[in-house]
Amino acid sequence: MTRPRRPRRADRVDTARVSPGSDVGAGGAQGTGGLGDPLRYATTYHAPVLEAETVANLVTDRGGVYIDGTLGGGGHSAALLDVLEDDALVIGIDQDPEALAQARKRLEGAEAAGRFVALEGNFGDLEGLLRRARITRPINGVLLDLGVSSHQLDQAARGFAYGKPGPLDMRMGDTGETAAELIARLSASDLADVIYQYGEERRSRAIARAIKAAAPTTTDALADTVRSAVPTRDELKSLARVFQALRIAVNRELDVLEDVLPAALEVLAEGGRLAVIAYHSLEDRRAKQFLKNGRFSAQVEKDTFGNPLTPFKLITRKPIVASDLEVEANPRARSARLRVAQKLSR
């Protein structure tokens, strides 16, 4: 039997990056190791993952326009600004007002110079956000760093982590249904479906029945309920899966991903690139399929001669994963998978 090939680690591929320009983007960065330092653009608020590899594969025009669809603490935007020319523009999008405030403070010099624009909203509404902001310049690159930021995970009041007692919220923004409200609304059967589909948890029905009986409203209460429904040896894996499933459902993450990928393709100029960093298989499978043939179906569309029809050229045929050095410095980078594709001429 042929052994499957491992994803390429960043320290095993050529990640030579564009020579950095001014340091306007890096304000507040931690770490002093230069380009080889995986925490070069990290702050106490958030550490961007695969920063150097992302910039190296995304930037094709140093004077172009780039969208950071998941702004977070502004780390990837800062890195982009450092390699782009003065007439370039980085557009940061985030639905979390706190993240926007942090990023704007960090990048205030670039914003004042007209090199950075922050937009509040969900990246699923990418085209609408650009239209309302009257962004008319061609888009040369779009970055989507999926999932939850380090700060959101660490903040107990956000309710994302089972190891931090807090309200069972899990919203990435400040509007919409919380995880506690979702649990209260769903039947045990529907809740089990959520846990199975989004958490890939095989004990979903037993866990869902226990959750409905306990009706938890805090993260620690939910964690205790999950523990009561699974064998001790499986507690940690089941906790991670249940919390992931509820977070995905609360924020409609997979639905939004299936909205934003076609929108990114639409707004990209010919030759522009789309980069996606995914942290679990549900996201990564969708990103892989879309970057392969421009649709979410595994069936490849072909022309009359049998040639595959795709709007993309793959830049990374295998996902790039974090180097051992980065994983050691930032353990949350361990599960990250970076895929990049370039829009072809029509």
Side-chain angles (χ1 to χ4, degrees):
M1 182 174 64
T2 302
R3 178 177 295 180
R5 296 179 63 185
R6 295 178 59 192
R8 297 181 299 171
R9 284 200 176 276
D11 50 3
R12 297 181 190 138
V13 295
D14 179 14
T15 55
R17 51 183 291 176
V18 185
S19 300
S22 67
D23 61 359
V24 64
Q30 304 294 314
T32 57
L35 297 181
D37 182 0
L39 296 183
R40 172 179 164 83
Y41 290 94
T43 67
T44 55
Y45 186 85
H46 180 63
V49 171
L50 292 168
E51 164 269 317
E53 298 77 25
T54 299
V55 172
N57 283 283
L58 185 64
V59 174
T60 56
D61 180 354
R62 294 184 64 198
V65 179
Y66 294 86
I67 297 174
D68 183 352
T70 41
L71 180 60
H76 284 116
S77 287
L80 285 167
L81 287 163
D82 272 356
V83 303
L84 296 175
E85 296 173 352
D86 290 344
D87 58 346
L89 177 66
V90 173
I91 302 163
I93 298 172
D94 209 292
Q95 61 185 326
D96 185 345
E98 183 181 355
L100 280 170
Q102 288 284 335
R104 291 187 68 186
K105 181 178 180 180
R106 176 181 188 174
L107 304 174
E108 59 184 352
E111 188 172 24
R115 301 183 66 225
F116 173 73
V117 173
L119 304 179
E120 181 174 354
N122 189 300
F123 63 36
D125 185 30
L126 178 61
E127 292 179 280
L129 288 168
L130 295 178
R131 184 172 57 253
R132 290 189 290 275
R134 298 184 179 180
I135 305 294
T136 58
R137 291 174 61 182
I139 306 300
N140 301 96
V142 177
L143 165 63
L144 303 173
D145 181 10
L146 308 175
V148 186
S149 73
S150 303
H151 182 74
Q152 288 172 328
L153 284 171
D154 291 336
Q155 203 172 24
R158 303 301 292 268
F160 285 108
Y162 56 82
K164 297 181 180 295
L168 198 52
D169 192 316
M170 297 194 185
R171 295 173 299 173
M172 291 185 183
D174 56 3
T175 61
E177 187 176 50
T178 67
E181 292 167 341
L182 177 74
I183 288 170
R185 176 174 60 82
L186 294 180
S187 66
S189 178
D190 289 340
L191 180 59
D193 288 344
V194 166
I195 294 171
Y196 181 76
Q197 292 172 11
Y198 297 154
E200 299 180 299
E201 168 58 58
R202 62 188 180 90
R203 294 188 177 88
S204 61
R205 301 212 174 278
I207 293 172
R209 287 194 296 268
I211 291 174
K212 288 299 291 184
T217 58
T218 62
T219 54
D220 49 340
L222 175 60
D224 289 342
T225 302
V226 173
R227 291 189 184 99
S228 73
V230 301
T232 302
R233 66 179 183 275
D234 294 333
E235 283 182 2
L236 292 180
K237 289 183 178 179
S238 292
L239 282 168
R241 291 166 182 162
V242 170
F243 272 71
Q244 172 184 293
L246 291 174
R247 189 202 81 213
I248 290 173
V250 165
N251 297 286
R252 298 181 53 253
E253 291 177 36
L254 298 182
D255 292 335
V256 172
L257 180 59
E258 292 189 5
D259 288 338
V260 71
L261 291 176
L265 172 60
E266 185 64 29
V267 303
L268 275 173
E270 293 180 358
R273 293 187 177 183
L274 173 57
V276 182
I277 303 175
Y279 295 84
H280 58 76
S281 60
L282 296 175
E283 294 172 333
D284 188 50
R285 281 198 294 267
R286 283 165 171 78
K288 176 182 178 181
Q289 198 64 56
F290 190 82
L291 294 180
K292 182 179 179 181
N293 57 29
R295 50 195 297 186
F296 296 103
S297 170
Q299 183 177 359
V300 178
E301 187 178 0
K302 297 182 179 181
D303 63 19
T304 54
F305 300 101
N307 299 311
L309 294 173
T310 174
F312 287 118
K313 170 189 174 183
L314 291 177
I315 302 302
T316 54
R317 294 194 173 275
K318 298 290 183 180
I320 294 175
V321 299
S323 67
D324 294 335
L325 178 65
E326 180 169 6
V327 171
E328 182 179 359
N330 179 15
R332 287 174 178 162
R334 185 182 307 277
S335 59
R337 299 287 185 272
L338 168 65
R339 298 181 187 272
V340 185
Q342 183 166 316
K343 183 174 179 178
L344 297 172
S345 301
R346 294 184 179 179

